[in-house]
Amino acid sequence: MAVTIEELASSLLFQGLKRESLELVSQNSRERVYKSGSTIMYQSDPGDNFLLILNGTVKVSVQMPDGDEVFLAILAAGDTVGEMTMIDTNPRSADVSAQEQTRVLILDRVLFNKLVETETNFMKNMMRILSRRLRVANMRIQAHCTLDTFGLVAFQIVEFADLYGKKTESGDIIIPIRLTQSDIATLAGASRERVNQVMVSFKKSGVISSDSGFHITVHKIDDLRKRISAA
Protein backbone atom coordinates (compact mmCIF):
# COMPACT_ATOMS: atom_id res chain seq x y z
CA MET A 1 0.00 0.00 0.00
CA ALA A 2 1.43 3.38 -1.05
CA VAL A 3 2.03 6.00 1.60
CA THR A 4 -0.70 8.64 1.67
CA ILE A 5 -0.42 12.42 2.07
CA GLU A 6 -2.26 12.05 5.39
CA GLU A 7 0.23 9.43 6.61
CA LEU A 8 3.13 11.70 5.70
CA ALA A 9 1.53 14.71 7.41
CA SER A 10 1.04 12.73 10.64
CA SER A 11 4.76 11.95 10.88
CA LEU A 12 6.94 14.28 12.96
CA LEU A 13 9.40 14.57 10.07
CA PHE A 14 6.78 16.11 7.79
CA GLN A 15 4.61 18.03 10.23
CA GLY A 16 3.84 21.55 9.04
CA LEU A 17 4.97 20.99 5.45
CA LYS A 18 2.92 22.46 2.62
CA ARG A 19 0.71 20.06 0.70
CA GLU A 20 2.76 20.51 -2.47
CA SER A 21 5.85 19.47 -0.53
CA LEU A 22 4.08 16.37 0.78
CA GLU A 23 3.03 15.55 -2.77
CA LEU A 24 6.67 15.95 -3.85
CA VAL A 25 7.71 13.45 -1.18
CA SER A 26 4.97 11.03 -2.16
CA GLN A 27 5.93 11.18 -5.84
CA ASN A 28 9.72 11.03 -5.39
CA SER A 29 10.18 8.54 -2.56
CA ARG A 30 9.67 4.80 -2.52
CA GLU A 31 8.51 2.27 0.02
CA ARG A 32 10.13 -1.00 0.95
CA VAL A 33 9.24 -3.75 3.38
CA TYR A 34 12.06 -5.64 5.11
CA LYS A 35 11.56 -9.09 6.60
CA SER A 36 12.50 -9.77 10.20
CA GLY A 37 16.27 -10.28 10.54
CA SER A 38 17.19 -8.73 7.19
CA THR A 39 19.93 -6.10 6.94
CA ILE A 40 18.79 -2.62 5.92
CA MET A 41 22.12 -0.77 6.04
CA TYR A 42 25.75 -1.76 6.47
CA GLN A 43 28.31 0.21 8.46
CA SER A 44 30.81 2.09 6.24
CA ASP A 45 28.64 1.86 3.11
CA PRO A 46 28.25 5.13 1.19
CA GLY A 47 24.94 6.80 1.93
CA ASP A 48 22.83 8.23 -0.85
CA ASN A 49 19.47 8.02 0.92
CA PHE A 50 17.81 7.91 4.32
CA LEU A 51 14.74 6.17 5.67
CA LEU A 52 11.63 7.05 7.62
CA ILE A 53 10.26 4.08 9.56
CA LEU A 54 6.52 3.82 8.85
CA ASN A 55 5.95 0.74 11.01
CA GLY A 56 8.06 -1.99 12.52
CA THR A 57 11.29 -1.94 14.54
CA VAL A 58 14.98 -1.79 13.63
CA LYS A 59 18.18 -2.47 15.56
CA VAL A 60 21.18 -0.15 15.22
CA SER A 61 24.60 -1.63 16.01
CA VAL A 62 28.30 -1.31 15.20
CA GLN A 63 30.98 -3.92 14.64
CA MET A 64 34.14 -3.49 16.69
CA PRO A 65 37.63 -4.36 15.37
CA ASP A 66 37.65 -7.55 17.48
CA GLY A 67 34.40 -8.69 15.88
CA ASP A 68 32.13 -7.92 18.81
CA GLU A 69 28.81 -6.23 18.09
CA VAL A 70 27.82 -3.18 20.13
CA PHE A 71 24.06 -2.63 20.29
CA LEU A 72 23.32 1.11 20.09
CA ALA A 73 19.57 1.54 19.81
CA ILE A 74 16.18 0.26 18.81
CA LEU A 75 14.19 2.60 16.56
CA ALA A 76 10.53 2.40 15.60
CA ALA A 77 7.75 4.16 13.68
CA GLY A 78 8.41 7.88 13.21
CA ASP A 79 12.18 7.57 13.59
CA THR A 80 14.64 8.28 10.78
CA VAL A 81 17.59 6.10 9.83
CA GLY A 82 20.68 7.13 7.85
CA GLU A 83 20.02 10.85 7.98
CA MET A 84 23.56 11.62 9.18
CA THR A 85 24.96 10.81 5.73
CA MET A 86 22.61 13.38 4.23
CA ILE A 87 24.11 16.04 6.49
CA ASP A 88 27.85 15.26 6.59
CA THR A 89 28.18 13.04 3.44
CA ASN A 90 30.30 10.50 5.38
CA PRO A 91 29.73 6.73 5.08
CA ARG A 92 27.16 4.92 7.21
CA SER A 93 28.16 4.89 10.87
CA ALA A 94 26.32 1.71 11.91
CA ASP A 95 24.59 -1.47 10.77
CA VAL A 96 20.79 -1.40 10.75
CA SER A 97 18.64 -4.54 10.67
CA ALA A 98 14.92 -5.27 10.93
CA GLN A 99 13.79 -6.66 14.30
CA GLU A 100 10.42 -7.59 12.79
CA GLN A 101 8.73 -6.96 9.46
CA THR A 102 9.39 -3.28 8.90
CA ARG A 103 7.98 -0.85 6.36
CA VAL A 104 10.09 2.17 5.47
CA LEU A 105 9.96 5.19 3.19
CA ILE A 106 13.20 5.79 1.27
CA LEU A 107 14.18 9.38 0.40
CA ASP A 108 17.24 10.09 -1.74
CA ARG A 109 19.74 12.92 -1.46
CA VAL A 110 18.16 14.97 -4.26
CA LEU A 111 14.80 14.99 -2.49
CA PHE A 112 16.45 15.71 0.86
CA ASN A 113 18.29 18.73 -0.56
CA LYS A 114 15.12 19.99 -2.24
CA LEU A 115 13.22 19.87 1.06
CA VAL A 116 16.07 21.59 2.91
CA GLU A 117 16.04 24.41 0.35
CA THR A 118 12.28 24.92 0.24
CA GLU A 119 10.83 23.85 3.61
CA THR A 120 12.02 25.46 6.84
CA ASN A 121 9.78 23.11 8.84
CA PHE A 122 11.51 20.06 7.38
CA MET A 123 14.87 20.97 8.89
CA LYS A 124 13.24 22.06 12.15
CA ASN A 125 11.56 18.66 12.37
CA MET A 126 14.80 16.87 11.56
CA MET A 127 16.57 18.82 14.30
CA ARG A 128 13.84 17.86 16.79
CA ILE A 129 14.26 14.18 15.94
CA LEU A 130 18.06 14.32 16.26
CA SER A 131 17.84 16.37 19.46
CA ARG A 132 15.48 13.84 21.01
CA ARG A 133 17.83 11.01 20.06
CA LEU A 134 20.83 12.81 21.60
CA ARG A 135 18.88 13.57 24.76
CA VAL A 136 17.91 9.90 25.10
CA ALA A 137 21.54 8.87 24.59
CA ASN A 138 22.69 11.28 27.31
CA MET A 139 20.04 9.99 29.73
CA ARG A 140 21.07 6.41 28.98
CA ILE A 141 24.72 7.19 29.79
CA GLN A 142 23.66 8.77 33.08
CA ALA A 143 21.49 5.75 33.90
CA HIS A 144 24.37 3.33 33.31
CA CYS A 145 26.50 5.32 35.73
CA THR A 146 23.97 5.42 38.57
CA LEU A 147 21.46 2.54 38.40
CA ASP A 148 21.51 -1.13 39.38
CA THR A 149 20.01 -3.80 37.12
CA PHE A 150 16.47 -3.24 38.43
CA GLY A 151 16.84 0.47 37.74
CA LEU A 152 18.36 -0.04 34.28
CA VAL A 153 15.58 -2.39 33.18
CA ALA A 154 12.98 0.04 34.55
CA PHE A 155 14.74 2.87 32.72
CA GLN A 156 14.64 1.05 29.38
CA ILE A 157 10.95 0.18 29.73
CA VAL A 158 10.06 3.76 30.69
CA GLU A 159 12.17 5.11 27.82
CA PHE A 160 10.26 3.04 25.26
CA ALA A 161 6.93 3.82 26.92
CA ASP A 162 7.65 7.56 26.73
CA LEU A 163 8.90 7.41 23.13
CA TYR A 164 6.43 4.99 21.55
CA GLY A 165 3.80 4.03 24.12
CA LYS A 166 0.07 4.12 23.40
CA LYS A 167 -2.12 4.87 26.42
CA THR A 168 -5.32 2.87 26.83
CA GLU A 169 -8.57 3.99 28.45
CA SER A 170 -7.62 2.04 31.57
CA GLY A 171 -4.39 4.00 31.90
CA ASP A 172 -2.11 1.17 30.80
CA ILE A 173 0.63 1.95 28.29
CA ILE A 174 1.19 -0.48 25.43
CA ILE A 175 4.65 -0.41 23.85
CA PRO A 176 3.92 -1.45 20.24
CA ILE A 177 7.44 -2.58 19.36
CA ARG A 178 9.09 -5.97 19.73
CA LEU A 179 11.31 -5.97 22.83
CA THR A 180 12.83 -9.30 23.83
CA GLN A 181 14.62 -9.85 27.11
CA SER A 182 17.83 -10.19 25.10
CA ASP A 183 17.23 -6.73 23.61
CA ILE A 184 16.67 -5.20 27.03
CA ALA A 185 19.69 -7.04 28.44
CA THR A 186 21.94 -5.68 25.70
CA LEU A 187 20.69 -2.12 26.13
CA ALA A 188 20.95 -2.38 29.92
CA GLY A 189 24.42 -3.92 29.80
CA ALA A 190 23.32 -6.85 31.95
CA SER A 191 23.12 -10.62 31.53
CA ARG A 192 19.96 -12.09 30.07
CA GLU A 193 19.55 -14.24 33.17
CA ARG A 194 19.64 -11.22 35.48
CA VAL A 195 17.22 -9.29 33.27
CA ASN A 196 14.89 -12.29 33.28
CA GLN A 197 14.85 -12.18 37.09
CA VAL A 198 13.99 -8.49 37.04
CA MET A 199 11.25 -8.92 34.43
CA VAL A 200 9.71 -11.81 36.38
CA SER A 201 9.70 -9.63 39.50
CA PHE A 202 8.02 -6.76 37.67
CA LYS A 203 5.40 -9.12 36.23
CA LYS A 204 4.65 -10.77 39.58
CA SER A 205 4.08 -7.36 41.17
CA GLY A 206 1.72 -6.35 38.34
CA VAL A 207 3.96 -3.55 37.07
CA ILE A 208 4.18 -4.94 33.53
CA SER A 209 2.97 -7.78 31.36
CA SER A 210 3.95 -8.98 27.90
CA ASP A 211 2.39 -10.95 25.06
CA SER A 212 3.73 -13.70 22.79
CA GLY A 213 4.99 -11.09 20.34
CA PHE A 214 7.30 -9.53 22.97
CA HIS A 215 5.16 -6.39 23.29
CA ILE A 216 5.25 -4.99 26.81
CA THR A 217 2.26 -3.38 28.52
CA VAL A 218 3.07 -1.10 31.46
CA HIS A 219 0.41 -1.14 34.18
CA LYS A 220 2.20 0.87 36.88
CA ILE A 221 4.60 3.29 35.23
CA ASP A 222 4.94 5.35 38.43
CA ASP A 223 6.44 2.28 40.14
CA LEU A 224 9.05 2.07 37.39
CA ARG A 225 9.83 5.78 37.67
CA LYS A 226 10.26 5.41 41.45
CA ARG A 227 12.70 2.56 40.87
CA ILE A 228 14.74 4.85 38.59
CA SER A 229 14.68 7.86 40.92
CA ALA A 230 15.56 5.76 44.00
CA ALA A 231 19.20 5.52 42.88
Side-chain angles (χ1 to χ4, degrees), residues 153-161 175 199 202 208 216 218 224:
V153 173
F155 173 84
Q156 290 299 157
I157 296 172
V158 169
E159 175 186 304
F160 286 113
I175 303 174
M199 295 289 283
F202 285 160
I208 65 170
I216 296 172
V218 181
L224 294 177

Side-chain angles (χ1 to χ4, degrees), residues 86-117:
M86 299 292 99
I87 298 170
D88 61 18
T89 70
N90 287 326
R92 305 289 191 195
S93 61
D95 294 328
V96 179
S97 59
Q99 290 279 86
E100 57 187 325
Q101 181 168 295
T102 300
R103 174 173 163 247
V104 303
L105 188 69
I106 304 174
L107 301 91
D108 64 21
R109 188 178 298 279
V110 173
L111 179 56
F112 176 86
N113 289 337
K114 180 67 174 177
L115 291 171
V116 169
E117 293 169 2

Side-chain angles (χ1 to χ4, degrees), residues 190-211:
S191 69
R192 187 184 180 282
E193 292 75 16
R194 182 58 176 146
V195 168
N196 178 66
Q197 293 172 355
V198 174
M199 295 289 283
V200 168
S201 176
F202 285 160
K203 290 176 181 178
K204 283 184 176 179
S205 60
V207 174
I208 65 170
S209 61
S210 61
D211 62 21

Side-chain angles (χ1 to χ4, degrees), residues 131-156:
S131 177
R132 182 182 73 174
R133 195 173 299 167
L134 179 59
R135 190 181 300 276
V136 167
N138 289 341
M139 292 173 62
R140 191 175 294 159
I141 292 171
Q142 181 179 351
H144 277 268
C145 294
T146 59
L147 300 177
D148 61 9
T149 305
F150 269 88
L152 286 168
V153 173
F155 173 84
Q156 290 299 157

Side-chain angles (χ1 to χ4, degrees), residues 3-5 8 13-14 17-30 52 105-107 111-112 115 119 122:
V3 65
T4 65
I5 298 297
L8 290 175
L13 182 62
F14 299 121
L17 270 64
K18 298 185 289 291
R19 185 172 182 85
E20 52 264 37
S21 296
L22 296 175
E23 291 174 348
L24 179 72
V25 172
S26 179
Q27 295 166 6
N28 292 276
S29 60
R30 59 190 176 91
L52 171 68
L105 188 69
I106 304 174
L107 301 91
L111 179 56
F112 176 86
L115 291 171
E119 277 283 4
F122 175 74

Side-chain angles (χ1 to χ4, degrees), residues 41-47 60-64 70 72 81-85 88-96 133:
M41 294 178 181
Y42 287 100
Q43 183 178 351
S44 299
D45 278 355
V60 183
S61 61
V62 296
Q63 294 290 331
M64 304 303 291
V70 178
L72 298 180
V81 184
E83 70 289 326
M84 288 173 59
T85 63
D88 61 18
T89 70
N90 287 326
R92 305 289 191 195
S93 61
D95 294 328
V96 179
R133 195 173 299 167

